[in-house]
């Protein structure tokens, strides 16, 4: 037996659903809808007609009452506190903001004295509200009010008015323009960035089990800061947590027909895919300025078109322009693919989530293959070439990926066939040539057996020079590709030869290849920069930038790339102000072209982080590196070489602020990723090993540190050393010095000076870094006159480069103080020490350099017989070390030895011995018996004896 009550409820649901669809229609479209209803259920159509008649009169009365009250309020500005005749909970309407098919929207304010608040007040039409419907309405309002997102205008309150039939909603008030008004005339990338804001908001709602169901341009405002805000979740559906959960009799279907998904028109279940479809409609309008079914909409056949007609691809629709904005010069086919995927009739054929749609747009903006497009090899390779970000080149050297270059080049030429048929013949020729060039697969060719990657590249370069002498354009392009491969492998000298040959060919070809010439110049400058040949780098990069600004529309990605390299150059020259101007301009261009969440922006953030390091602002550097790393993780994943590179930067940044254990863990992770990406003997592996060695030294693990240093130096030395690799030798020298291996340390320092290849008259910026360590070694070795000359030259260079008030200058003065102390001139030593500490006391709390200088000052005071001051200074050193230096670190042991000696000389021999004995043992464990510090500690302990009593 059928439950009569249940049958009536089901009948009401059908009537209410049909009414909600009809209330948005008018004219011929409404009549067609009612006729369609009548064909299947005459009674249903009659009920809907009756409800429409009642609704028109009811809403008219509600709106008229509100308008009358508003008119009276506005007639006299002094009467603004008068309560309007129509009230919505604690709110009252101030002025109309708009009116839609389901009701009117007003600027509202609270009508009580609790606090001032402006809201967007929506009065929602509804002909009858049962008690159960009111309960469901309040329940869902509570859930929707929990949505908190920067791109969603939050729901504040809602309810049923005192008249019992009017729903009202109070929402966050947003001042701005509707989506198409704000972005209709904007550049394509700006429209897409705004659309990404919408996708982010929809994805957030979906993750909270909420479907909007009524996305449309008027429900999206763009505020004065350019941020999109999604409005009006008033008819949203709260999805059940479990698909098997029974229907709660949720809100009846409501929609705006022009933005309704096919399943909404059919009356099927609403899911997150419904919002994906409407996002597709919005994207289509943003791209073309017209609705996907504009013609059918005007003819009154909109519903039929949504259900059964495929929309015209946006690239073809956009050529006609619109009232919203003029037609763009041509939309890429990728946008056709991703837009049409969102608009597919079957929900299962659309994007699975708003995040997937957004990710495809990010892919388009970054010139990566969009997932909506057919993933054929030619398409993916075209995108690879367009990006010019071919990490595949690194892998290519190993084996068959070089062959990919063959196909890429052939495809690029094949695509130009439509412009010149002769190019197709060239493509075939080049493909054949490169296949023979790089496969080296003929087993009968004994010379090809066992070729290394480098030998394969050399053979390729020789054949390009020889066999393409009559094809300078092809030869130039292939030489540029090979130059890039050598650059990525760290083979800088050979890379320069190849790139300079390519640049000469491009230059000889004149204006048609001027842009390629500028690009090759930029790459030549980049290689010079990596090799620390600063003048040559500046010459090439400045020439490239001049050509690019002349040839390319500003802003352009190529200009941003060159600016970034020039900024890095100025940073390495210690010209921080000039570097910042260049790097910020590059960042601004990349943000404008690609948006804030893009890989080019992550590159700029990385460059700025390195600048902040150079400026002594490690905390700022960490913030920038983390932001850049988040972007790369989202786009490239954890194991990509560029993500790994930033991991190393983050580890180095953490070292600067004393988070040594955390830094070591991150750097070891980076080392694993670097080896996986480049192999064991790549220079990036060397840099990472050197960074790990520094962390190990900071943790007092000196033997392990030196082992890592030696491996790093071996890698860099095998690649020719040079100024770029000096840092790894300097660090090895320092760590050997701490272990007391002065002969090895001096050898490393002098080799570093050879790698610099500079002169005292024209010094390299890193010369002072080498000299300060050489001066320390000479001091410890008792060669005081040599040490004095070296350290004074160091001080002069650093003052000339950085000015008087720089940490490097303070370090130089500390070293001169150490020299004077060791040489038996304590008064001069104290003078130098106090000059150094005047600057070092402004270092961050816990800075190791400050603790070391304080210990040295304590030792000087002991030589001067000022034991009380020595105790005070050594205690201060230990307080500094306690912040971040491990308790078993050799520097901490040295401070304890100093304090123990001061206590002993002050008469507290037993306390001094209790402090010095374990400190000496700690030094022995860390540094070994041969260390000069260990020998000094033993001598001090041996000299201790109880003070005679009486």
């Amino acid at each position: 037996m059928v439950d009569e009550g249940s049958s009536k409820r089901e009948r009401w649901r059908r009537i209410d659903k049909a009414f909600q669809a009809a209330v948005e229609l008018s004219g011929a479209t409404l009549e067609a809808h009612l006729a369609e209803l009548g064909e299947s259920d005459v009674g249903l159509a009659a009920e809907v007609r009756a409800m429409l008649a009642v609704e028109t009169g009811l809403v008219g009365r509600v709106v008229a009452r509100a308008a009358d009250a508003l008119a009276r309020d506005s007639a006299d500005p002094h009467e603004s506190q008068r309560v309007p005749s129509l009230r919505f909970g604690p709110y009252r309407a101030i002025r109309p903001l708009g009116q839609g098919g389901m009701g009117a929207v007003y600027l509202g304010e609270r009508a009580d004295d609790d606090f001032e608040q402006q809201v967007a007040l929506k009065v929602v039409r509804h002909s009858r509200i049962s008690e159960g419907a009111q309960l469901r309405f309040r329940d869902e309002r509570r859930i929707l009010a929990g949505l908190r997102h920067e791109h969603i205008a939050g729901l504040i309150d809602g309810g049923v008015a005192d008249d019992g039939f009017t729903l009202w909603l109070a929402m966050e008030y947003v001042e701005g323009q509707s989506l198409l008004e704000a972005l209709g005339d904007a550049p394509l990338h700006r429209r897409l960035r705004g659309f990404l804001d919408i996708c982010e908001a929809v994805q957030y709602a979906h993750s909270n089990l909420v479907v909007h169901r009524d996305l449309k341009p008027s429900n999206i405002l763009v505020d004065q800061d350019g941020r999109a805000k999604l409005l009006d979740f008033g008819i949203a559906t709260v999805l059940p947590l479990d698909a098997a959960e029974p229907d709660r009799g949720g809100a009846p279907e409501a929609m705006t027909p022009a933005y309704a998904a096919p399943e909404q028109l059919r009356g099927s279940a609403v899911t997150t895919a419904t919002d994906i479809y409407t996002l597709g409609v919005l994207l289509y309008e943003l791209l073309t300025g017209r609705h996907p079914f504009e013609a059918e909409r005007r003819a009154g056949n909109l519903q039929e078109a949504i259900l059964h007609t495929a929309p015209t691809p946006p690239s073809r629709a956009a050529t006609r322009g619109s009232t919203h904005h003029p037609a763009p010069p041509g939309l890429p086919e990728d946008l056709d693919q991703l837009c049409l995927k969102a608009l597919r009739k079957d929900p299962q054929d659309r994007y699975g989530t708003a995040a997937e749609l957004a990710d495809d747009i990010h892919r388009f903006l970054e010139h990566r293959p969009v997932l909506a497009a057919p993933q054929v090899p030619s398409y993916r390779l075209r995108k690879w070439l367009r990006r010019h970000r071919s990490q595949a080149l690194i892998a290519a050297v190993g084996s068959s990926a070089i062959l990919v270059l063959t196909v890429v080049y052939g495809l690029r030429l094949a695509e130009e066939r439509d412009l010149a048929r002769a190019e197709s013949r060239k493509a075939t020729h080049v493909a054949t040539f490169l296949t023979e060039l790089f496969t080296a697969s003929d087993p009968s060719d004994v010379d090809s057996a066992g070729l290394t990657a480098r030998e394969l590249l050399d053979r390729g370069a020789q054949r390009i020079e020889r066999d393409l002498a009559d094809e300078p354009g092809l030869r130039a392009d292939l030489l540029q590709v090979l130059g890039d491969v050598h650059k990525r492998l760290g083979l800088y000298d050979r890379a320069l030869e190849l790139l300079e040959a390519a640049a000469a060919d491009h230059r000889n070809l004149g204006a048609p290849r001027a842009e390629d010439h500028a690009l090759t110049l930029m790459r030549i400058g980049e290689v010079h920069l990596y090799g620390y040949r600063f003048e040559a780098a500046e010459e090439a990069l400045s020439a490239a930038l001049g050509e690019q600004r002349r040839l390319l529309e500003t802003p352009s990605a190529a200009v941003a790339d060159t600016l970034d390299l020039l900024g890095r150059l100025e940073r390495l020259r210690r010209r921080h102000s000039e570097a910042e101007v260049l790097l910020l301009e590059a960042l601004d261009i990349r943000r404008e072209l690609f948006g804030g969440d893009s890989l080019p922006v992550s590159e700029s953030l990385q460059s700025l982080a390195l600048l902040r390091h150079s400026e002594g602002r490690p905390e700022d550097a960490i913030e920038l590196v983390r932001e850049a790393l988040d972007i790369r993780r989202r786009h490239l994943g954890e194991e990509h070489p560029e993500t790994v590179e930033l991991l190393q930067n983050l580890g180095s940044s953490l070292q600067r602020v004393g988070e040594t254990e955390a830094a070591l863990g991150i750097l070891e992770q980076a080392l694993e990723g670097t080896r996986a990406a480049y192999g064991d003997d790549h220079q990036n592996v060397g840099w990472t090993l050197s960074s790990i060695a520094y962390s190990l030294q900071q943790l007092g693990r000196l033997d392990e540190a030196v082992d890592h240093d030696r491996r790093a130096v071996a890698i860099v030395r095998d690649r020719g050393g040079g100024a770029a690799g000096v840092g790894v030798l300097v660090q090895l020298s320092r760590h050997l010095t701490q272990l007391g291996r002065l002969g090895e340390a001096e050898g490393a320092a002098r080799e570093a000076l050879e790698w610099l290849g500079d002169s005292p008259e024209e010094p390299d910026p890193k010369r002072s870094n080498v000299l300060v360590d050489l001066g320390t070694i000479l001091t410890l070795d008792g060669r005081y006159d040599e040490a004095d000359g070296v350290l004074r030259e160091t001080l002069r260079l650093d003052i000339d480069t950085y000015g008087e008030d720089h940490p490097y200058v303070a370090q130089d003065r500390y070293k001169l103080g150490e020299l004077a102390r060791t040489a038996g001139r304590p008064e001069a030593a104290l003078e130098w020490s106090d000059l150094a500490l005047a600057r070092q006391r402004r270092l961050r709390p816990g800075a190791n350099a400050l603790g070391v200088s304080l210990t040295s000052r304590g030792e000087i005071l002991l030589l001067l017989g000022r034991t009380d001051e020595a105790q005070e200074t050594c205690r201060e050193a230990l307080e500094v070390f306690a912040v971040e230096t491990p308790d078993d670190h050799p520097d901490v042991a040295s401070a304890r030895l100093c304090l123990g000696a001061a206590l002993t000389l002050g008469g507290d021999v037993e306390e001094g011995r209790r402090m010095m004995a374990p400190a000496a043992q700690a030094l022995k464990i860390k540094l070994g018996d041969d260390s000069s510090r260990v020998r000094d500690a033993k001598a001090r302990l041996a000299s201790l004896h109880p003070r005679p009593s009486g």
Side-chain angles (χ1 to χ4, degrees), residues 42-54:
V42 176
L44 177 63
E47 286 279 356
V48 171
R49 284 186 183 275
M51 289 171 66
L52 286 170
V54 172

Side-chain angles (χ1 to χ4, degrees), residues 387-388 480 484 487-488 496 499 503 506 514-530 536-548 552 556-566 590 603:
R387 293 195 305 278
H388 295 293
Q480 186 184 78
D484 280 347
K487 179 194 70 178
R488 292 178 181 277
L496 277 175
L499 290 171
H506 284 143
E515 189 174 336
D516 292 321
H517 181 247
L519 178 61
T520 309
L521 285 176
M522 182 191 76
R523 289 173 173 167
I524 289 171
E526 184 178 14
V527 175
H528 280 307
L529 179 61
Y530 290 163
E538 182 179 24
E539 181 180 356
L541 291 173
S542 297
L545 184 63
E547 289 195 28
Q548 288 166 340
L552 302 173
S556 73
V559 168
D561 292 344
T562 308
L563 287 167
D564 188 84
L565 288 170
L566 280 167
R590 286 167 169 172
E603 289 183 11

Side-chain angles (χ1 to χ4, degrees), residues 288-290 317-323 325-328:
T288 68
R290 50 196 304 121
T319 60
R320 297 189 289 271
S322 73
T323 57
H325 53 77

Side-chain angles (χ1 to χ4, degrees), residues 727-795:
V728 296
L729 263 176
V730 168
Q731 183 168 279
L732 172 61
S733 175
R734 289 176 181 173
H735 293 167
L736 287 168
T737 300
Q738 291 182 37
L739 285 172
R741 302 174 191 173
L742 299 182
E744 295 177 73
E746 183 178 354
R750 295 198 182 277
E751 185 180 3
L753 288 174
E754 293 174 7
W755 284 12
L756 283 178
D758 66 344
S759 68
E761 293 74 28
E762 296 182 9
D764 185 282
K766 291 188 293 301
R767 185 175 184 82
S768 68
N769 290 344
V770 183
L771 291 177
V772 74
D773 290 293
L774 180 58
T776 300
I777 295 163
L778 294 171
T779 298
L780 293 172
D781 202 34
R783 295 147 66 184
Y784 300 138
D785 290 341
E786 288 182 71
D788 187 74
V790 168
L791 291 175
R792 287 184 185 275
E793 182 185 355
T794 305
L795 178 63

Side-chain angles (χ1 to χ4, degrees), residues 334 360 363 368-380 383:
D334 280 354
D360 243 6
R363 287 174 172 273
R368 293 189 290 146
V370 300
L371 300 181
Q375 299 298 296
V376 296
S378 60
Y379 168 71
R380 297 185 67 83
K383 303 302 286 187

